[in-house]
Amino acid sequence: MDKRYEVYCLADRYFYETPDRLSVGESAAADDSAVYEAAQRAVPEGWRCFLSGDWLHVNPVDSEGNPRPGRPKQGWKIHVSACPDNAEKIASKVWDYCVARAIPFKFVPGPRPLHLRNSKYADRAASGKFATIYPLDEAECHRVLEELGSLLDGEAGPYILSDLRWNDGPLYVRYGGFARRYCVDGTGALVPAIENADGRLVPDRREPAFRPPEWVPLPGFLAPQLAARNATTVADLPYAIESALHFSNGGGVYVGRDRSTGERVVLKEARPHAGLAADRADAVTRLERERAALQRLSGLGVAPEVRDVRTVGDHRFLVLEHIPGKPLNSFFAERHPLLTADPDPEALTSYTEWALGMHAAVQQAVAAVHRRGLVHNDLHMFNIMVAPDEQSVTLLDFEAATDADDRTRQSLAHPGFVAPRDLTGYDVDRYALACLRLALFLPMTTLLAIERDKAADLAEIVVREFPGVPAGFLEEAVRTICAHRPARPRIRRPAQARHLVAVDTREPYVCDPADWPRSRESMVRGILASATPERTDRLFPGDIAQFADGGGLGIAHGAAGVLYALHETGAEGFEEGEEWLLRQTAPPPLGTPLGCYDGLAGVAYVLDRLGHRERADELIERVLAEKWYRLAPDLYGGLAGIGLTLDHLARQRGERELRDRALEAAGHAADRLESCANRAGLLRGASGPALLFLRLYEGTGDPGLLDLAAQALRSDLARCVRNERGTLLVDEGWRTMPYLGAGSAGIAMVLDDYLTHRADPEFEEARAAILPATQARFYAQPGLFRGRAGMVLHLARTTTPDPDVEAALAAQIADLSWYAMPYRGELAFPGDQMMRLSMDLSTGTAGCLLALGSALHEEPVQLPFLPPLPEPDGLRI
């Protein structure tokens, strides 16, 4: 599970949203207590104050309101750390000091965004940064550290991992950029940049470790601080750390050994003032809670035994007994029977018996904890360790545990198991046990964070797919989760009824995705109802990636992709949305990527499809004016996507220059194919360049381009492995991937195209071996590039010879209903991690709309540059 998403769930019930919209802006306007006193001050003449994200910038400006000339674009910057209790005072002192000396700075303007920056799963590289000060040069940096450091002496704050601490106070330093500049990094991505010693822009590394650029000497006044930092290490512990299991903003979890006895142990690290929970408890406070809870449970055999507590510097370590076994969540990938197209009835029976046994074991362990008067408060599948004999379990992670008489709400919880706000005490664990009844069979309980009524729908799916599950087992779960609220009407579909049309005449839970065009109309209404044309950062809610540079514009996560899906599936034009995209690209925001799915090339392609030729040409001119030829060769943000866009526009315009630039992009991509060796698939692997070579071959007839396409496809196939059933999947080292974006299904899409031009037995065998990957009964998400919708799109387009393709397509369309969620009464789908809905093309409703349109629309639609394939009635050799 990607912990980055949790903080984006706080500001909105339905969609991923930037946390600053919860804490400043609307809330600040209604209540001045939402911001610090310093954030309410009027700036003096010659200064400008503005809000950007969760930062309030305070800058000296010239007579025209521009930053005063002579300020550096990079250098040693100073960060100020703060805690909730002293942030108000520190903000006031920073303001007074910097304004009096004409030093630009920014700070977090209120308690809510400060809490979020320091929360348990906040970005470790940015954690603790309450204010940033931009000195003119090293001399001013030294002076600020001395003077402001004296003013703030004794103030506490979380340690800023990316920086070097100044003495023992809340000031830290780091070399980095002051102005927004960008360059292409080693992977071909556009990233924040600074100048190196030669004046060339290079990535401004922002990592949770102090690493100045190699060409920047450490100022002499910082040497004592670096020596002090290096003097304290984990070598002082009587335990040898062997590996890291997990990192959060509060600290790490490590496996180690007792140096004296050789006993294997687990060490939990806690950083003071960091990793805040909802109740504002920091990691050290929670570590002490866990120690107290585990000592109270000692001897029960359902929790680890405490071995030791140690302090190194200001970091606390709780040393625990190492529990052999595997987390409960890890069993799903290796034994769940729905990961195949046709589950064996014996496998279903065996798994059902195992899952029921696991739940009983967890229930017994929780009951033992309750008998000691404790509530676990954070029970989920990652916190349950299954013994090697699979007969017993051990509960882990008691940092949120409370006394049963403590009636406070949960302060930490997994999104798929978080209890309603009115539950406290033992009822919190009982709610988690109810969620576990569903999650053991269908790990989709994160949807309950959006709407608890979905529990009844999930229970019906479980009963249909696992006939041996006792009805009462799930009825109790639904009753607990829904808490006596009336359930909405739901889809009830017999197991054998999986067709391309709706089969239920009663009012469904939401519109059945297979009921086209009714489902199209419902999705379109839902998408349009979610639009926010008054905002400038995004038009449609989607994945958290849309809040990065340019994310709100592009095809993958932004407005262009949604408008493309609406247009291609025959929806009426959304003029206000098109105007928004035109407005936001005149000019596009600084730092917007150049590529097809992430940036300007893709926006140009969509605007051209929508009839806005002039703006499309302007954006392509912007792309070509940049150093686009340095990008990676991939389709997502690199040369393949730009080349395909140029080729498309060349065909539309009949312009030879654009075709030449497309061929130039292909040449650069061919030269860099080896850089795709570590990734595979349609978006990031060599299949993207292969698609470019194929489209250019179709326009030029040059067989050398067809040879390059074959070379690229073989490169991606070399990254694939066969599972025990012979299915071909992309091997990522720690997991295998079937999906359209980074999995084998995306490779098969391009293999289909290649085989329309040249016969190749190896490729024929490969695409046949990939086909079963698109026919499994379960996928964790519905999305186009990492979920079931991508399988629908591939099955609707593929020419792979197989008599079961049509039936498999019907089944995948029908089972998109597993993820169906209501938004304002309309059909919508959750995004990545399934904690919130998404409307974007890559992860959400627009992608599902496009996939369904590829199979059900009267004129089949497809992704850009992947038009419907001709019937395989002949091959050109």
Side-chain angles (χ1 to χ4, degrees):
M1 182 172 184
D2 191 335
K3 293 293 186 179
R4 295 177 304 156
Y5 283 76
E6 292 192 30
V7 72
Y8 289 90
C9 294
L10 298 173
D12 193 279
R13 174 187 170 188
Y14 291 103
F15 301 111
Y16 295 121
E17 184 59 271
T18 52
D20 57 276
R21 298 188 73 84
L22 175 72
S23 49
V24 294
E26 297 95 336
S27 60
D31 180 8
D32 285 344
S33 67
V35 296
Y36 299 123
E37 178 274 332
Q40 302 176 52
R41 298 179 185 180
V43 294
E45 186 178 353
W47 287 76
R48 177 178 177 235
C49 183
F50 64 95
L51 191 66
S52 176
D54 58 358
W55 289 109
L56 187 67
H57 296 252
V58 187
N59 296 338
V61 293
D62 61 21
S63 59
E64 296 182 356
N66 299 315
R68 290 185 187 175
R71 303 302 304 187
K73 294 183 177 180
Q74 63 190 56
W76 289 98
K77 63 177 72 175
I78 298 170
H79 288 119
V80 187
S81 179
C83 297
D85 295 337
N86 63 5
E88 182 95 56
K89 177 171 58 175
I90 289 177
S92 179
K93 289 187 176 182
V94 169
W95 177 289
D96 292 341
Y97 181 87
C98 290
V99 170
R101 293 160 180 81
I103 303 172
F105 68 100
K106 65 181 180 181
F107 68 103
V108 178
R112 186 64 176 173
L114 176 62
H115 177 93
L116 295 175
R117 277 187 161 267
N118 292 333
S119 63
K120 181 174 181 180
Y121 291 109
D123 180 5
R124 296 171 68 231
S127 174
K129 296 176 183 177
F130 173 61
T132 307
I133 301 168
Y134 302 97
L136 181 65
D137 50 29
E138 288 186 9
E140 185 170 75
C141 179
H142 190 190
R143 185 165 57 251
V144 173
L145 290 169
E146 292 280 8
E147 295 174 353
L148 187 58
S150 178
L151 291 172
L152 298 179
D153 186 44
E155 296 293 348
Y159 197 101
I160 300 177
L161 296 173
S162 62
D163 290 23
L164 183 62
R165 189 176 190 178
W166 176 257
N167 297 334
D168 295 323
L171 300 187
Y172 296 77
V173 288
R174 169 188 176 270
Y175 191 94
F178 292 5
R180 295 183 67 185
R181 295 188 291 177
Y182 297 87
C183 71
V184 176
D185 70 3
T187 68
L190 202 64
V191 297
I194 54 177
E195 287 183 27
N196 66 8
D198 300 324
R200 184 169 60 87
L201 289 179
V202 296
D204 183 2
R205 304 292 182 189
R206 301 177 181 183
E207 302 167 335
F210 179 66
R211 294 192 183 96
E214 59 184 15
W215 68 89
V216 177
L218 188 76
F221 60 85
L222 294 178
Q225 277 68 38
L226 183 61
R229 181 182 185 274
N230 293 338
T232 303
T233 70
V234 292
D236 299 328
L237 286 169
Y239 304 93
I241 293 179
E242 298 177 341
S243 62
L245 297 176
H246 170 69
F247 285 106
S248 74
N249 189 29
V253 181
Y254 311 92
V255 174
R257 290 191 184 274
D258 188 313
R259 296 181 192 272
S260 60
T261 68
E263 180 191 9
R264 206 172 190 198
V265 294
V266 170
L267 299 92
K268 298 192 69 173
E269 175 193 24
R271 301 199 301 121
H273 314 302
L276 302 181
D279 61 356
R280 297 177 60 176
D282 70 356
V284 172
T285 300
R286 295 198 309 277
L287 196 77
E288 288 302 314
R289 288 179 183 172
E290 180 162 24
R291 176 171 71 156
L294 292 176
Q295 289 174 337
R296 192 164 166 180
L297 297 173
S298 180
L300 277 181
V302 299
E305 297 288 341
V306 175
R307 293 288 188 253
D308 197 2
V309 177
R310 295 277 174 165
T311 300
V312 176
D314 56 359
H315 290 212
R316 194 76 53 85
F317 288 86
L318 178 63
V319 186
L320 303 175
E321 166 195 14
H322 180 269
I323 303 297
K326 294 189 295 185
L328 182 55
N329 69 290
S330 68
F331 285 86
F332 187 87
E334 65 186 43
R335 69 169 55 184
H336 200 281
L338 297 189
L339 298 179
T340 66
D342 297 302
D344 182 354
E346 291 186 7
L348 290 169
T349 300
S350 175
Y351 182 85
T352 299
E353 293 174 352
W354 176 85
L356 294 174
M358 281 294 103
H359 190 274
V362 175
Q363 199 164 18
Q364 291 171 9
V366 171
V369 171
H370 289 180
R371 286 194 293 272
R372 291 281 173 96
L374 281 176
V375 181
H376 187 284
N377 260 331
D378 190 20
L379 185 68
H380 54 80
M381 293 209 289
F382 292 79
N383 281 348
I384 300 166
M385 185 68 73
V386 180
D389 63 4
E390 300 185 23
Q391 298 301 307
S392 63
V393 300
T394 302
L395 306 183
L396 308 177
D397 207 352
F398 280 81
E399 64 181 61
T402 61
D403 192 279
D405 295 330
D406 184 351
R407 310 309 293 178
T408 57
R409 297 197 303 265
Q410 282 176 292
S411 60
L412 289 172
H414 185 285
F417 293 77
V418 61
R421 292 174 62 85
D422 58 339
L423 292 187
T424 60
Y426 296 140
D427 287 339
V428 172
D429 288 349
R430 293 181 183 125
Y431 181 89
L433 286 168
C435 293
L436 185 61
R437 291 175 184 241
L438 292 172
L440 280 164
F441 294 95
L442 208 61
M444 296 168 57
T445 55
T446 48
L447 295 177
L448 305 179
I450 308 171
E451 180 172 314
R452 294 206 306 273
D453 284 346
K454 184 66 177 178
D457 201 44
L458 296 179
E460 289 183 2
I461 298 169
V462 173
V463 169
R464 187 167 68 240
E465 301 296 328
F466 296 88
V469 178
F473 181 80
L474 296 176
E475 287 172 3
E476 182 179 342
V478 172
R479 191 162 49 247
T480 299
I481 293 168
C482 292
H484 308 293
R485 292 168 58 197
R488 299 185 182 189
R490 301 178 302 277
I491 296 172
R492 294 182 180 274
R493 184 186 295 109
Q496 69 274 15
R498 297 190 177 99
H499 306 296
L500 296 184
V501 295
V503 298
D504 194 346
T505 58
R506 292 171 298 169
E507 185 66 22
Y509 174 68
V510 285
C511 180
D512 189 335
D515 187 7
W516 188 275
R518 183 169 174 244
S519 61
R520 177 194 65 185
E521 294 161 359
S522 184
M523 284 184 279
V524 169
R525 287 193 296 267
I527 288 171
L528 296 183
S530 74
T532 54
E534 70 279 3
R535 290 175 58 163
T536 58
D537 59 336
R538 57 97 160 144
L539 175 60
F540 300 103
D543 190 72
I544 65 173
Q546 67 181 188
F547 300 117
D549 293 314
L553 300 179
I555 290 181
H557 302 293
V562 180
L563 293 174
Y564 175 80
L566 294 174
H567 177 266
E568 297 300 304
T569 55
E572 291 187 14
F574 181 35
E575 184 176 346
E576 192 174 12
E578 294 179 32
E579 290 175 354
W580 184 94
L581 191 55
L582 291 169
R583 189 166 61 248
Q584 297 306 315
T585 53
L590 181 66
T592 302
L594 306 178
C596 175
Y597 277 94
D598 66 346
L600 298 181
V603 175
Y605 172 83
V606 172
L607 286 174
D608 184 72
R609 297 279 292 179
L610 296 174
H612 302 287
R613 174 172 175 167
E614 182 177 349
R615 180 56 50 79
D617 290 344
E618 290 174 5
L619 293 179
I620 287 299
E621 287 178 9
R622 281 184 169 271
V623 171
L624 294 177
E626 298 290 339
K627 297 176 181 178
W628 59 272
Y629 45 83
R630 292 184 177 177
L631 293 172
D634 65 76
L635 173 63
Y636 187 84
L639 293 164
I642 290 176
L644 284 161
T645 304
L646 293 169
D647 177 60
H648 164 79
L649 294 177
R651 293 171 189 249
Q652 295 293 312
R653 312 278 196 270
E655 293 185 13
R656 179 59 184 269
E657 183 180 354
L658 289 176
R659 170 62 60 79
D660 290 344
R661 288 299 185 97
L663 289 168
E664 182 183 351
H668 290 303
D671 291 340
R672 297 176 202 160
L673 272 180
E674 70 280 357
S675 66
C676 296
N678 293 325
R679 306 185 78 168
L682 180 65
L683 295 183
R684 308 279 192 179
S687 292
L691 183 62
L692 171 61
F693 302 146
L694 285 170
R695 295 287 90 94
L696 290 174
Y697 164 73
E698 292 166 353
T700 66
D702 180 357
L705 288 164
L706 204 54
D707 294 339
L708 281 172
Q711 177 187 341
L713 286 167
R714 287 190 169 85
S715 174
D716 262 6
L717 289 174
R719 287 292 315 278
C720 294
V721 295
R722 293 180 184 265
N723 65 12
E724 64 277 6
R725 304 175 194 92
T727 302
L728 207 57
L729 304 163
V730 169
D731 182 9
E732 293 192 339
W734 60 286
R735 64 180 178 179
T736 55
M737 296 292 283
Y739 297 119
L740 190 69
S744 53
I747 301 172
M749 293 278 285
V750 186
L751 287 173
D752 281 338
D753 278 83
Y754 181 91
L755 289 166
T756 65
H757 299 296
R758 179 186 287 173
D760 189 303
E762 178 189 350
F763 288 173
E764 285 285 3
E765 182 184 1
R767 70 169 176 172
I770 291 171
L771 192 64
T774 68
Q775 300 173 348
R777 298 291 302 117
F778 176 80
Y779 298 96
Q781 301 177 146
L784 184 64
F785 289 138
R786 287 195 285 186
R788 194 185 295 271
M791 307 313 181
V792 171
L793 187 138
H794 175 58
L795 289 168
R797 180 180 188 267
T798 187
T799 53
T800 306
D802 190 301
D804 297 327
V805 165
E806 185 176 347
L809 173 60
Q812 297 296 19
I813 291 173
D815 291 341
L816 268 175
S817 65
W818 291 14
Y819 321 87
M821 298 288 288
Y823 176 66
R824 297 190 179 182
E826 305 297 347
L827 173 62
F829 290 90
D832 275 7
Q833 308 300 306
M834 302 229 295
M835 291 185 276
R836 289 294 185 269
L837 304 178
S838 169
M839 297 300 180
D840 72 28
L841 184 81
S842 174
T843 70
T845 307
C848 294
L849 172 66
L850 189 76
L852 289 167
S854 71
L856 304 175
H857 195 50
E858 57 269 18
E859 295 181 7
V861 299
Q862 276 293 332
L863 286 172
F865 320 117
L866 281 163
L869 291 165
E871 292 296 324
D873 55 352
L875 294 175
R876 179 160 39 143
I877 306 300

